[in-house]
DNA sequence: CCTGACAGCCCGGGAGAAACCA
DNA sequence: TGGTTTCTCCCGGGCTGTCAGG
């Protein structure tokens, strides 16, 4: 059934990408100075999830690396490394300059100094989910590093620029912006067709079934590929020779909640409790929310901390917060 | 009432200095 | 003396109180 599981994984980067020629070309031309050993202006990739931002960034840099003799690059996910320290650490890690600072008690901002002292070949840093970075001033510091080229990735353009101070935003306005739209159904279809050809045995899934998957994916390649992967896995577990319509139908909602669950798993128990209460109620006012939280959790945190958690949940697009002032209502994401 | 910016507190943990011990 | 344990300091990060503002 499955001949190559790798190509069905979300982090797989194909050796050629489809339907993003324009984006790849634009990004390549932005990065062109690197071929002469110079730094390139920052690029800013934004658009909804599953539209290929991360993939195209990595693909383009990889391809450039094959052409350019000397080029360092590092992928940083700012969701995981959301603090200034972690992001810097991760960036330094990309040039193997962290051997002697595996520790915390290094003098303040020695990490940034390190980076300033970097004199190697051009260094490209991909900052994914950059809107999750808690201290955006870091971007300004990074911008001023010689020889460092930034590729920023986020869902919404405004999320990043809103919380950035003026010095940086005036500079970032010159950054090349690339907007990624949802894939059309036929684009998704051809992406899936490739994955099927590379990853599955011939004949296990029909064209009609692929269309069935893409129509459920709403332009999100991550969902489409995830459904394909789960369907193949499920069919394999059930000892089926081919993927049945039933399997696909069952696996669609599972895959969607699986993707959200990945986000939820990264939350602390307190954050999860808040999230659970809000989802169960649909909408809820602050006070009842606090009350219920206190009932549900041993060793509850203070209201102040809950507000921190809630704004984080909102930032992660797990909940919505309506009304800025006393009419505040928390609402589960549709 | 409720929020969000700001600042300060505390905790865990690493590092280097200091103290201790054979 | 050399090796080992303890002390002290510093950092990042989570949490909280305060406070102005809606």
């Amino acid at each position: 059934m499955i001949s190559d599981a790798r190509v069905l994984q979300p982090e797989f980067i194909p050796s050629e990408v489809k339907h993003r020629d324009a984006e790849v070309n634009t990004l390549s031309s932005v990065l062109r100075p690197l071929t002469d050993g110079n730094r390139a202006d920052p690029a800013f990739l934004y658009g909804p999830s599953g539209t290929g931002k991360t993939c195209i960034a990595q693909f383009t840099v990889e391809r450039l690396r094959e052409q350019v003799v000397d080029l360092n690059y590092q992928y940083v996910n700012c969701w995981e490394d959301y603090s200034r320290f972690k992001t810097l650490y991760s960036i330094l890690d990309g040039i193997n300059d962290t051997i002697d600072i595996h520790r915390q008690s290094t003098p303040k901002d020695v990490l940034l100094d390190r980076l300033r002292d970097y004199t190697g070949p051009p260094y490209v840093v991909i900052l994914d989910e950059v809107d999750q970075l808690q201290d955006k001033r870091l971007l300004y510091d990074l911008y001023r590093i010689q020889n460092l080229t930034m590729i920023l990735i986020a869902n919404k353009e405004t999320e990043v620029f809103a919380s950035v101070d003026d010095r940086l935003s005036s500079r970032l306005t010159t950054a090349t912006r690339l907007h990624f739209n949802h894939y059309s159904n036929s684009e998704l279809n051809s992406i899936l067709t490739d994955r099927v050809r590379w990853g599955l045995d011939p004949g296990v899934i029909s064209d009609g079934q692929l269309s069935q998957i893409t129509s459920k994916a709403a332009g999100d390649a991550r969902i489409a590929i995830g459904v394909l992967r789960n369907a193949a896995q499920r069919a394999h577990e059930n000892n089926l020779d081919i993927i049945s319509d039933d399997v696909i139908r069952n696996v669609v909602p599972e895959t969607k909640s699986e993707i959200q669950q990945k986000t939820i798993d990264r939350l602390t128990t307190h954050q999860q409790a808040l999230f659970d209460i809000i989802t169960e109620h649909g909408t809820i006012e602050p006070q009842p929310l606090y009350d219920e939280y206190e009932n549900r959790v041993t060793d509850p945190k203070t209201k102040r901390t809950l507000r921190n958690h809630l704004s984080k949940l909102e930032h992660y697009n797990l909940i919505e917060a309506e009304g800025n002032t006393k009419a505040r209502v928390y609402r589960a994401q549709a």
Side-chain angles (χ1 to χ4, degrees):
Chain A
M1 164 88 40
I2 301 173
S3 57
D4 186 355
R6 272 183 320 123
V7 306
L8 301 177
Q9 297 304 314
E11 61 276 1
F12 175 75
I13 301 169
S15 57
E16 54 184 292
V17 297
K18 292 216 156 168
H19 313 299
R20 290 294 186 234
D21 288 345
E23 287 81 0
V24 170
N25 288 339
T26 311
L27 188 54
S28 296
S29 68
V30 171
L31 299 180
R32 185 143 308 135
L34 294 167
T35 55
D36 302 323
N38 298 317
R39 85 180 282 194
D41 283 334
F44 182 39
L45 281 50
Y46 64 100
S49 59
T51 52
K53 302 183 295 295
T54 306
C55 178
I56 264 55
Q58 292 186 306
F59 170 82
T60 309
V61 175
E62 282 289 357
R63 207 180 57 172
L64 194 65
R65 222 147 82 108
E66 288 164 14
Q67 299 163 4
V68 178
V69 252
D70 229 1
L71 178 68
N72 280 321
Y73 110 89
Q74 173 76 328
Y75 171 84
V76 181
N77 189 316
C78 296
W79 182 305
E80 281 149 26
D81 301 331
Y82 53 87
S83 70
R84 180 187 178 86
F85 179 85
K86 282 186 181 164
T87 308
L88 275 171
Y89 186 89
S90 187
I91 293 172
L92 281 172
D93 215 31
I95 46 176
N96 296 317
D97 208 357
T98 48
I99 318 103
D100 54 336
I101 38 172
H102 273 280
R103 331 146 162 58
Q104 305 170 12
S105 70
T106 38
K108 223 184 164 91
D109 254 354
V110 75
L111 286 82
L112 191 61
D113 292 337
R114 277 282 170 104
L115 208 50
R116 288 203 185 98
D117 293 341
Y118 171 71
T119 52
Y123 189 19
V124 180
V125 175
I126 299 175
L127 294 173
D128 204 350
E129 307 198 54
V130 68
D131 50 318
Q132 297 298 328
L133 207 56
Q134 65 177 202
D135 183 8
K136 303 287 193 307
R137 278 175 299 184
L138 176 60
L139 295 179
Y140 181 71
D141 292 328
L142 291 178
Y143 183 85
R144 301 202 304 169
I145 305 268
Q146 301 297 321
N147 229 7
L148 187 82
T149 300
M150 292 192 286
I151 300 177
L152 309 176
I153 302 177
N155 286 351
K156 288 186 194 146
E157 191 179 12
T158 48
E159 294 252 342
V160 181
F161 286 92
S163 49
V164 143
D165 75 68
D166 296 339
R167 290 176 309 173
L168 181 60
S169 79
S170 66
R171 290 189 157 86
L172 281 189
T173 46
T174 68
T176 304
R177 303 180 191 206
L178 280 157
H179 179 65
F180 285 67
N181 291 309
H182 283 298
Y183 289 107
S184 71
N185 281 359
S186 70
E187 288 170 343
L188 274 188
N189 234 310
S190 79
I191 290 172
L192 282 189
T193 306
D194 279 346
R195 302 297 169 108
V196 168
R197 198 172 64 233
W198 299 330
L200 299 183
D201 294 337
V204 298
I205 189 163
S206 71
D207 290 348
Q209 288 173 318
L210 287 185
S211 306
Q212 194 183 334
I213 293 176
T214 52
S215 68
K216 300 281 185 196
D220 185 330
R222 195 166 44 142
I223 293 177
I225 294 170
V227 170
L228 180 64
R229 177 182 64 247
N230 287 339
Q233 234 153 35
R234 178 65 50 83
H236 176 70
E237 284 160 15
N238 296 346
N239 293 315
L240 301 173
D241 296 333
I242 57 163
I243 295 172
S244 69
D245 289 355
D246 277 345
V247 166
I248 293 177
R249 211 170 302 127
N250 290 332
V251 127
V252 167
E254 290 171 26
T255 307
K256 286 182 180 174
S257 63
E258 175 186 304
I259 288 172
Q260 191 188 44
Q261 190 60 40
K262 268 191 186 163
T263 305
I264 296 168
D265 286 344
R266 299 198 238 176
L267 303 175
T268 68
T269 52
H270 294 275
Q271 293 165 340
Q272 286 195 26
L274 288 168
F275 175 77
D276 289 344
I277 294 166
I278 294 169
T279 358
E280 284 164 28
H281 284 75
T283 62
I284 188 169
E285 281 108 54
Q287 192 57 54
L289 174 61
Y290 296 148
D291 293 342
E292 176 133 13
Y293 163 81
E294 280 179 16
N295 284 332
R296 205 177 280 206
V297 155
T298 57
D299 189 22
K301 307 293 181 194
T302 63
K303 277 187 175 186
R304 185 62 197 82
T305 301
L306 296 194
R307 274 186 265 143
N308 286 344
H309 290 339
L310 286 166
S311 67
K312 197 148 200 171
L313 292 179
E314 189 193 1
H315 203 190
Y316 290 170
N317 290 319
L318 291 170
I319 63 166
E320 288 171 29
E322 272 175 31
N324 262 337
T325 172
K326 57 178 160 189
R328 173 61 67 96
V329 172
Y330 292 103
R331 181 188 305 279
Q333 270 295 359

PDB file of all heavy atoms in Angstrom, chain A residues 3-22:
ATOM      1  N   SER A   3       4.431   2.861  -0.343  1.00  0.00           N
ATOM      2  CA  SER A   3       5.762   2.501  -0.806  1.00  0.00           C
ATOM      3  C   SER A   3       6.822   3.460  -0.274  1.00  0.00           C
ATOM      4  O   SER A   3       7.981   3.094  -0.151  1.00  0.00           O
ATOM      5  CB  SER A   3       5.804   2.484  -2.340  1.00  0.00           C
ATOM      6  OG  SER A   3       5.405   3.736  -2.846  1.00  0.00           O
ATOM      7  N   ASP A   4       6.423   4.695   0.028  1.00  0.00           N
ATOM      8  CA  ASP A   4       7.372   5.641   0.602  1.00  0.00           C
ATOM      9  C   ASP A   4       6.629   6.600   1.527  1.00  0.00           C
ATOM     10  O   ASP A   4       6.015   7.562   1.082  1.00  0.00           O
ATOM     11  CB  ASP A   4       8.086   6.424  -0.510  1.00  0.00           C
ATOM     12  CG  ASP A   4       9.190   7.306   0.034  1.00  0.00           C
ATOM     13  OD1 ASP A   4       9.337   7.385   1.276  1.00  0.00           O
ATOM     14  OD2 ASP A   4       9.910   7.918  -0.781  1.00  0.00           O
ATOM     15  N   ALA A   5       6.706   6.308   2.806  1.00  0.00           N
ATOM     16  CA  ALA A   5       5.935   7.094   3.775  1.00  0.00           C
ATOM     17  C   ALA A   5       6.449   8.527   3.903  1.00  0.00           C
ATOM     18  O   ALA A   5       5.710   9.433   4.265  1.00  0.00           O
ATOM     19  CB  ALA A   5       5.960   6.413   5.142  1.00  0.00           C
ATOM     20  N   ARG A   6       7.696   8.713   3.591  1.00  0.00           N
ATOM     21  CA  ARG A   6       8.292  10.046   3.760  1.00  0.00           C
ATOM     22  C   ARG A   6       7.536  11.124   3.002  1.00  0.00           C
ATOM     23  O   ARG A   6       7.322  12.218   3.503  1.00  0.00           O
ATOM     24  CB  ARG A   6       9.746  10.035   3.251  1.00  0.00           C
ATOM     25  CG  ARG A   6      10.786   9.625   4.278  1.00  0.00           C
ATOM     26  CD  ARG A   6      12.161   9.727   3.646  1.00  0.00           C
ATOM     27  NE  ARG A   6      12.160   9.257   2.265  1.00  0.00           N
ATOM     28  CZ  ARG A   6      12.548   9.997   1.232  1.00  0.00           C
ATOM     29  NH1 ARG A   6      12.987  11.212   1.411  1.00  0.00           N
ATOM     30  NH2 ARG A   6      12.511   9.495  -0.001  1.00  0.00           N
ATOM     31  N   VAL A   7       7.148  10.818   1.776  1.00  0.00           N
ATOM     32  CA  VAL A   7       6.555  11.852   0.925  1.00  0.00           C
ATOM     33  C   VAL A   7       5.156  12.235   1.394  1.00  0.00           C
ATOM     34  O   VAL A   7       4.582  13.202   0.900  1.00  0.00           O
ATOM     35  CB  VAL A   7       6.492  11.417  -0.551  1.00  0.00           C
ATOM     36  CG1 VAL A   7       7.860  10.985  -1.032  1.00  0.00           C
ATOM     37  CG2 VAL A   7       5.482  10.317  -0.765  1.00  0.00           C
ATOM     38  N   LEU A   8       4.627  11.482   2.356  1.00  0.00           N
ATOM     39  CA  LEU A   8       3.314  11.834   2.892  1.00  0.00           C
ATOM     40  C   LEU A   8       3.414  12.629   4.189  1.00  0.00           C
ATOM     41  O   LEU A   8       2.419  13.064   4.745  1.00  0.00           O
ATOM     42  CB  LEU A   8       2.486  10.568   3.137  1.00  0.00           C
ATOM     43  CG  LEU A   8       2.248   9.689   1.909  1.00  0.00           C
ATOM     44  CD1 LEU A   8       1.481   8.429   2.277  1.00  0.00           C
ATOM     45  CD2 LEU A   8       1.487  10.461   0.832  1.00  0.00           C
ATOM     46  N   GLN A   9       4.637  12.793   4.663  1.00  0.00           N
ATOM     47  CA  GLN A   9       4.829  13.556   5.896  1.00  0.00           C
ATOM     48  C   GLN A   9       4.707  15.043   5.624  1.00  0.00           C
ATOM     49  O   GLN A   9       5.074  15.522   4.548  1.00  0.00           O
ATOM     50  CB  GLN A   9       6.218  13.259   6.498  1.00  0.00           C
ATOM     51  CG  GLN A   9       6.414  11.819   6.927  1.00  0.00           C
ATOM     52  CD  GLN A   9       5.355  11.357   7.913  1.00  0.00           C
ATOM     53  OE1 GLN A   9       5.045  12.062   8.853  1.00  0.00           O
ATOM     54  NE2 GLN A   9       4.784  10.182   7.660  1.00  0.00           N
ATOM     55  N   PRO A  10       4.193  15.773   6.629  1.00  0.00           N
ATOM     56  CA  PRO A  10       3.993  17.213   6.413  1.00  0.00           C
ATOM     57  C   PRO A  10       5.290  17.981   6.142  1.00  0.00           C
ATOM     58  O   PRO A  10       5.280  18.990   5.448  1.00  0.00           O
ATOM     59  CB  PRO A  10       3.349  17.684   7.724  1.00  0.00           C
ATOM     60  CG  PRO A  10       3.236  16.519   8.610  1.00  0.00           C
ATOM     61  CD  PRO A  10       3.703  15.312   7.903  1.00  0.00           C
ATOM     62  N   GLU A  11       6.405  17.501   6.677  1.00  0.00           N
ATOM     63  CA  GLU A  11       7.637  18.283   6.544  1.00  0.00           C
ATOM     64  C   GLU A  11       8.423  17.938   5.283  1.00  0.00           C
ATOM     65  O   GLU A  11       9.486  18.485   5.042  1.00  0.00           O
ATOM     66  CB  GLU A  11       8.517  18.110   7.789  1.00  0.00           C
ATOM     67  CG  GLU A  11       8.982  16.696   8.095  1.00  0.00           C
ATOM     68  CD  GLU A  11       7.933  15.905   8.879  1.00  0.00           C
ATOM     69  OE1 GLU A  11       6.847  16.448   9.175  1.00  0.00           O
ATOM     70  OE2 GLU A  11       8.191  14.727   9.166  1.00  0.00           O
ATOM     71  N   PHE A  12       7.872  17.039   4.479  1.00  0.00           N
ATOM     72  CA  PHE A  12       8.574  16.634   3.268  1.00  0.00           C
ATOM     73  C   PHE A  12       8.657  17.793   2.273  1.00  0.00           C
ATOM     74  O   PHE A  12       7.679  18.488   2.017  1.00  0.00           O
ATOM     75  CB  PHE A  12       7.840  15.451   2.624  1.00  0.00           C
ATOM     76  CG  PHE A  12       8.413  15.037   1.298  1.00  0.00           C
ATOM     77  CD1 PHE A  12       9.604  14.341   1.238  1.00  0.00           C
ATOM     78  CD2 PHE A  12       7.756  15.373   0.122  1.00  0.00           C
ATOM     79  CE1 PHE A  12      10.139  13.965   0.014  1.00  0.00           C
ATOM     80  CE2 PHE A  12       8.278  14.995  -1.103  1.00  0.00           C
ATOM     81  CZ  PHE A  12       9.467  14.293  -1.156  1.00  0.00           C
ATOM     82  N   ILE A  13       9.850  18.002   1.733  1.00  0.00           N
ATOM     83  CA  ILE A  13      10.031  19.037   0.713  1.00  0.00           C
ATOM     84  C   ILE A  13      10.327  18.359  -0.610  1.00  0.00           C
ATOM     85  O   ILE A  13      11.370  17.720  -0.771  1.00  0.00           O
ATOM     86  CB  ILE A  13      11.184  19.986   1.058  1.00  0.00           C
ATOM     87  CG1 ILE A  13      10.917  20.647   2.402  1.00  0.00           C
ATOM     88  CG2 ILE A  13      11.350  21.050  -0.021  1.00  0.00           C
ATOM     89  CD1 ILE A  13      12.107  21.379   2.945  1.00  0.00           C
ATOM     90  N   PRO A  14       9.427  18.491  -1.576  1.00  0.00           N
ATOM     91  CA  PRO A  14       9.645  17.816  -2.859  1.00  0.00           C
ATOM     92  C   PRO A  14      10.805  18.440  -3.625  1.00  0.00           C
ATOM     93  O   PRO A  14      11.207  19.574  -3.350  1.00  0.00           O
ATOM     94  CB  PRO A  14       8.320  18.029  -3.602  1.00  0.00           C
ATOM     95  CG  PRO A  14       7.662  19.179  -2.933  1.00  0.00           C
ATOM     96  CD  PRO A  14       8.150  19.212  -1.533  1.00  0.00           C
ATOM     97  N   SER A  15      11.331  17.715  -4.565  1.00  0.00           N
ATOM     98  CA  SER A  15      12.477  18.239  -5.309  1.00  0.00           C
ATOM     99  C   SER A  15      12.020  19.219  -6.381  1.00  0.00           C
ATOM    100  O   SER A  15      12.819  19.934  -6.965  1.00  0.00           O
ATOM    101  CB  SER A  15      13.266  17.087  -5.934  1.00  0.00           C
ATOM    102  OG  SER A  15      12.409  16.324  -6.756  1.00  0.00           O
ATOM    103  N   GLU A  16      10.748  19.228  -6.672  1.00  0.00           N
ATOM    104  CA  GLU A  16      10.214  20.308  -7.485  1.00  0.00           C
ATOM    105  C   GLU A  16       8.843  20.664  -6.934  1.00  0.00           C
ATOM    106  O   GLU A  16       8.119  19.801  -6.440  1.00  0.00           O
ATOM    107  CB  GLU A  16      10.096  19.894  -8.950  1.00  0.00           C
ATOM    108  CG  GLU A  16       9.295  18.618  -9.147  1.00  0.00           C
ATOM    109  CD  GLU A  16       9.287  18.205 -10.615  1.00  0.00           C
ATOM    110  OE1 GLU A  16       8.671  18.916 -11.418  1.00  0.00           O
ATOM    111  OE2 GLU A  16       9.898  17.169 -10.928  1.00  0.00           O
ATOM    112  N   VAL A  17       8.517  21.939  -6.965  1.00  0.00           N
ATOM    113  CA  VAL A  17       7.245  22.349  -6.387  1.00  0.00           C
ATOM    114  C   VAL A  17       6.286  22.743  -7.491  1.00  0.00           C
ATOM    115  O   VAL A  17       6.692  23.153  -8.585  1.00  0.00           O
ATOM    116  CB  VAL A  17       7.419  23.525  -5.399  1.00  0.00           C
ATOM    117  CG1 VAL A  17       8.279  23.108  -4.237  1.00  0.00           C
ATOM    118  CG2 VAL A  17       7.983  24.736  -6.094  1.00  0.00           C
ATOM    119  N   LYS A  18       5.010  22.614  -7.178  1.00  0.00           N
ATOM    120  CA  LYS A  18       4.004  22.897  -8.187  1.00  0.00           C
ATOM    121  C   LYS A  18       3.213  24.153  -7.842  1.00  0.00           C
ATOM    122  O   LYS A  18       2.966  24.437  -6.680  1.00  0.00           O
ATOM    123  CB  LYS A  18       3.024  21.721  -8.260  1.00  0.00           C
ATOM    124  CG  LYS A  18       3.651  20.456  -8.797  1.00  0.00           C
ATOM    125  CD  LYS A  18       2.647  19.706  -9.645  1.00  0.00           C
ATOM    126  CE  LYS A  18       3.380  18.806 -10.628  1.00  0.00           C
ATOM    127  NZ  LYS A  18       2.455  17.859 -11.254  1.00  0.00           N
ATOM    128  N   HIS A  19       2.815  24.854  -8.872  1.00  0.00           N
ATOM    129  CA  HIS A  19       1.868  25.973  -8.738  1.00  0.00           C
ATOM    130  C   HIS A  19       2.397  27.124  -7.908  1.00  0.00           C
ATOM    131  O   HIS A  19       1.634  27.959  -7.460  1.00  0.00           O
ATOM    132  CB  HIS A  19       0.540  25.497  -8.139  1.00  0.00           C
ATOM    133  CG  HIS A  19       0.032  24.258  -8.789  1.00  0.00           C
ATOM    134  ND1 HIS A  19      -0.272  24.214 -10.122  1.00  0.00           N
ATOM    135  CD2 HIS A  19      -0.190  23.031  -8.290  1.00  0.00           C
ATOM    136  CE1 HIS A  19      -0.677  22.990 -10.407  1.00  0.00           C
ATOM    137  NE2 HIS A  19      -0.628  22.260  -9.327  1.00  0.00           N
ATOM    138  N   ARG A  20       3.666  27.151  -7.689  1.00  0.00           N
ATOM    139  CA  ARG A  20       4.212  28.275  -6.934  1.00  0.00           C
ATOM    140  C   ARG A  20       5.423  28.847  -7.660  1.00  0.00           C
ATOM    141  O   ARG A  20       6.320  29.386  -7.029  1.00  0.00           O
ATOM    142  CB  ARG A  20       4.604  27.828  -5.520  1.00  0.00           C
ATOM    143  CG  ARG A  20       3.430  27.500  -4.599  1.00  0.00           C
ATOM    144  CD  ARG A  20       2.604  28.742  -4.307  1.00  0.00           C
ATOM    145  NE  ARG A  20       1.556  28.495  -3.331  1.00  0.00           N
ATOM    146  CZ  ARG A  20       0.274  28.767  -3.542  1.00  0.00           C
ATOM    147  NH1 ARG A  20      -0.124  29.265  -4.702  1.00  0.00           N
ATOM    148  NH2 ARG A  20      -0.622  28.560  -2.603  1.00  0.00           N
ATOM    149  N   ASP A  21       5.414  28.719  -8.978  1.00  0.00           N
ATOM    150  CA  ASP A  21       6.547  29.204  -9.765  1.00  0.00           C
ATOM    151  C   ASP A  21       6.793  30.679  -9.535  1.00  0.00           C
ATOM    152  O   ASP A  21       7.929  31.114  -9.335  1.00  0.00           O
ATOM    153  CB  ASP A  21       6.297  28.952 -11.255  1.00  0.00           C
ATOM    154  CG  ASP A  21       6.405  27.469 -11.583  1.00  0.00           C
ATOM    155  OD1 ASP A  21       6.941  26.737 -10.731  1.00  0.00           O
ATOM    156  OD2 ASP A  21       5.950  27.061 -12.658  1.00  0.00           O
ATOM    157  N   ALA A  22       5.708  31.446  -9.539  1.00  0.00           N
ATOM    158  CA  ALA A  22       5.862  32.892  -9.372  1.00  0.00           C
ATOM    159  C   ALA A  22       6.509  33.215  -8.041  1.00  0.00           C
ATOM    160  O   ALA A  22       7.441  34.024  -7.961  1.00  0.00           O
ATOM    161  CB  ALA A  22       4.497  33.573  -9.467  1.00  0.00           C
TER     162      ALA A  22
END
